[in-house]
């Protein structure tokens, strides 16, 4: 059975990209709050960033020539560029949601922050909310689990070091069941109880259990199971595309 690991504990590499006078002004505001972020800007507006501790690349050519290195060098790329332009610029460089960096767009007036790519796995949704808070802007989230304030199946427990174990089709199917409000059994036999990080209550369609054998499987559309126990192939087969397993770190593990 193939599985998907989504754990990323490294400090994200962030770059702010600005190519207009107003965009650069917004990027300056954000850079002051993110001193670890790098800056990529047109040489014409480089002077606006003077005095900041952020590393900066001022380019003279076309922005499209910078996109490849940006994709290779950063985990979050925050563009102060129009959404349409960003879509056209990044299109030739897209590979998969497991490889692409988070792409975020901030409008020229600094009113809206839009995660464009890799919202969940790449962290763009979380970073969009952070950027919006720093700029006093509104985050524009379109991912169903974020809009519906429910469990993000593909990255649940990532901040705790959990590893998700399931075929990708299971993650896709179970995510749909969760956001559609279908009855979901959540079984936690291991790991930290602090996995729910949203300010809203856990949705009513999520039913909590402490042991797998407590669950009447026929009552639930899908099962999320946090455990150290071995899951035999027969169980995966019996719960065809309905099961996602999470593996918390073992106690004492580095």
């Amino acid at each position: 059975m193939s599985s998907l690991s989504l754990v990323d504990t490294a400090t994200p590499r962030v770059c702010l990209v600005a190519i207009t006078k107003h965009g650069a002004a917004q990027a300056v505001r954000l850079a002051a709050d993110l001193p670890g972020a790098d800056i990529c800007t047109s040489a014409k507006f480089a002077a606006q960033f003077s005095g900041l501790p952020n590393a900066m690349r001022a380019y003279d050519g076309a922005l499209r020539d910078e996109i490849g290195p940006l994709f290779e060098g950063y985990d979050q790329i925050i563009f102060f560029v129009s959404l349409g332009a960003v879509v056209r610029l990044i299109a030739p460089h897209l590979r998969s949601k497991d490889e692409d960096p988070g792409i975020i767009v901030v409008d020229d007036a600094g009113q809206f922050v839009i995660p464009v790519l890799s919202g969940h796995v790449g962290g763009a949704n979380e970073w969009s909310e952070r950027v919006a808070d720093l700029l006093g802007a509104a985050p524009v989230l379109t991912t169903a689990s974020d809009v519906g304030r429910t469990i993000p199946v593909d990255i649940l427990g990532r901040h705790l070091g959990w590893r998700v174990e399931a075929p990708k089709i299971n993650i896709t199917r179970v995510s749909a069941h969760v956001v559609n409000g279908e009855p979901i059994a959540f079984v936690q036999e291991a790991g930290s109880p602090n996995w729910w990080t949203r300010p809203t209550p856990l949705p009513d369609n999520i039913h909590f259990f402490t042991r797998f054998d407590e669950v009447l499987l026929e009552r639930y559309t899908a099962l999320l199971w946090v455990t150290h126990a071995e899951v035999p192939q027969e169980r995966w087969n019996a719960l065809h595309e309905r099961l996602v397993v999470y593996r918390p770190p073992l106690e004492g593990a580095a």
Side-chain angles (χ1 to χ4, degrees):
M1 181 201 66
S2 63
S3 63
L4 181 64
S5 177
L6 301 172
V7 177
D8 182 6
T9 57
T11 301
R13 301 162 299 169
V14 179
C15 188
L16 315 182
V17 181
I19 63 170
T20 68
K21 177 180 178 181
H22 295 299
Q26 298 298 336
V28 167
R29 288 179 55 202
L30 185 59
D33 289 316
L34 297 175
D38 292 350
I39 295 163
C40 178
T41 188
S42 168
K44 181 178 180 180
F45 302 110
Q48 290 186 236
F49 297 93
S50 63
L52 291 172
N54 310 68
M56 181 178 67
R57 168 171 168 71
Y59 65 90
D60 290 305
L63 178 56
R64 65 174 176 273
D65 297 328
E66 306 295 320
I67 302 302
L70 287 170
F71 261 58
E72 293 298 325
Y74 295 96
D75 304 301
Q76 301 293 327
I77 308 172
I78 303 170
F79 286 91
F80 293 81
V81 182
S82 74
L83 177 58
V86 168
V87 169
R88 293 183 185 279
L89 286 165
I90 68 174
H93 301 273
L94 303 185
R95 290 175 292 190
S96 76
K97 70 176 183 179
D98 302 320
E99 300 175 84
D100 296 330
I103 301 294
I104 297 167
V105 167
V106 181
D107 74 290
D108 224 34
Q111 294 180 309
F112 301 102
V113 181
I114 308 165
V116 178
L117 188 70
S118 297
H120 264 330
V121 179
N125 287 354
E126 180 181 349
W127 267 88
S128 291
E129 292 185 303
R130 179 178 179 183
V131 169
D133 183 61
L134 291 173
L135 292 177
V140 183
L141 305 184
T142 60
T143 308
S145 62
D146 290 298
V147 174
R149 300 295 180 181
T150 191
I151 289 177
V153 172
D154 51 355
I155 61 167
L156 181 66
R158 184 169 65 175
H159 66 293
L160 299 170
W162 294 9
R163 176 173 57 86
V164 61
E165 179 180 289
K168 288 187 177 182
I169 187 62
N170 289 39
I171 296 172
T172 299
R173 299 277 194 245
V174 173
S175 294
H177 296 318
V178 168
V179 300
N180 287 331
E182 297 171 27
I184 307 296
F186 187 98
V187 182
Q188 185 165 14
E189 299 175 340
S192 168
N194 301 317
W195 53 268
W196 181 250
T197 59
R198 301 194 189 280
T200 51
L202 193 66
D204 292 339
N205 67 310
I206 309 297
H207 303 269
F208 189 83
F209 300 90
T210 57
R211 296 199 325 267
F212 181 90
D213 57 15
E214 294 176 340
V215 182
L216 296 175
L217 297 176
E218 65 274 11
R219 294 186 179 179
Y220 300 96
T221 307
L223 178 71
L224 306 177
W225 189 10
V226 189
T227 185
H228 293 311
E230 181 181 355
V231 182
Q233 189 61 47
E234 293 77 14
R235 181 154 289 163
W236 288 104
N237 294 341
L239 291 166
H240 178 64
E241 298 179 2
R242 297 168 54 202
L243 175 63
V244 174
V245 172
Y246 300 92
R247 302 297 193 182
L250 295 171
E251 290 187 13

